[in-house]
Amino acid sequence: MLSPPTSGAPGGPGQGPGQAQGGGYGYPQPGATQAPPPGQGFPQQPQRPQQPATWSATIGPDREYFMAMMQRSGPEAAGLNLPAYSPEQQRTLTGNQITIGRRRHSTGDTPDIDLAVPPEDPGVSHQHAVLVQQPDGSWAVVDQNSTNGTTVNGGEEPIQPFVPVPLQDGDRVHVGAWTTITVRRG
């Protein structure tokens, strides 16, 4: 039969030189400070692989953006009218990139977000912009040197072509004469 170590060494019961404070045979003494064994005491984060967040886009006409564009545009915009009715589109963002533009009828090339569907936004280039998934699962927008540019969150100055602009939950990407693409996480 084994007995727990006895007191006698400096530092308290069961401690000899170089031994940690605590009781014998792995049982802590009352009042001893000792880290709990793994999985006990302090909550730990689950070690399951982290799934990337799901992102979605809502695409539709934006009156506020259209009015701001009309004020900044030249005489060529005078004939544009905001469509009376255009249902919003919903799209889950999947893959590494989502192309934004207008279908090319001559070649049949169709972007992932096709803004040539009625009512067609005439201010959108055929290859206008791309949403690019980032390593952390978030998204960025990259203007593809479009004719009319791409703005974010109501900015007056278009973003620089071919430079990714990171997007946050709820950010609005403006393309063409009236189209706004709102990205959402979750």
Side-chain angles (χ1 to χ4, degrees):
M1 177 167 168
L2 295 174
S3 303
T6 60
S7 178
Q15 286 192 4
Q19 290 183 322
Q21 181 180 357
Y25 308 114
Y27 296 101
Q29 288 290 324
T33 54
Q34 177 177 349
Q40 297 179 7
F42 300 110
Q44 294 184 351
Q45 295 297 323
Q47 295 302 315
R48 63 180 180 255
Q50 194 157 21
Q51 298 294 324
T54 302
W55 287 75
S56 63
T58 303
I59 305 110
D62 180 336
R63 178 173 298 284
E64 186 177 319
Y65 168 62
F66 175 72
M67 298 307 286
M69 282 297 295
M70 293 302 287
Q71 288 181 354
R72 290 194 299 260
S73 296
E76 69 278 358
L80 293 177
N81 293 305
L82 185 68
Y85 176 74
S86 178
E88 286 187 337
Q89 302 174 46
Q90 295 286 331
R91 179 180 176 100
T92 300
L93 302 181
T94 59
N96 294 328
Q97 68 178 27
I98 305 289
T99 55
I100 302 166
R102 288 187 299 127
R103 175 184 320 115
R104 254 187 224 278
H105 296 285
S106 60
T107 63
D109 291 340
T110 303
D112 298 312
I113 297 176
D114 183 7
L115 298 171
V117 295
E120 180 174 354
D121 187 332
V124 175
S125 297
H126 288 286
Q127 294 178 357
H128 196 101
V130 178
L131 295 172
V132 181
Q133 189 173 40
Q134 302 301 289
D136 67 357
S138 66
W139 290 81
V141 61
V142 181
D143 183 84
Q144 299 293 293
N145 202 24
S146 62
T147 302
N148 294 315
T150 301
T151 59
V152 176
N153 293 329
E156 289 191 23
E157 291 299 315
I159 62 175
Q160 188 174 354
F162 306 114
V163 176
V165 174
L167 299 172
Q168 304 294 321
D169 181 21
D171 279 353
R172 299 174 333 272
V173 176
H174 309 287
V175 297
W178 58 68
T179 302
T180 293
I181 301 166
T182 304
V183 295
R184 296 241 179 257
R185 180 181 179 165

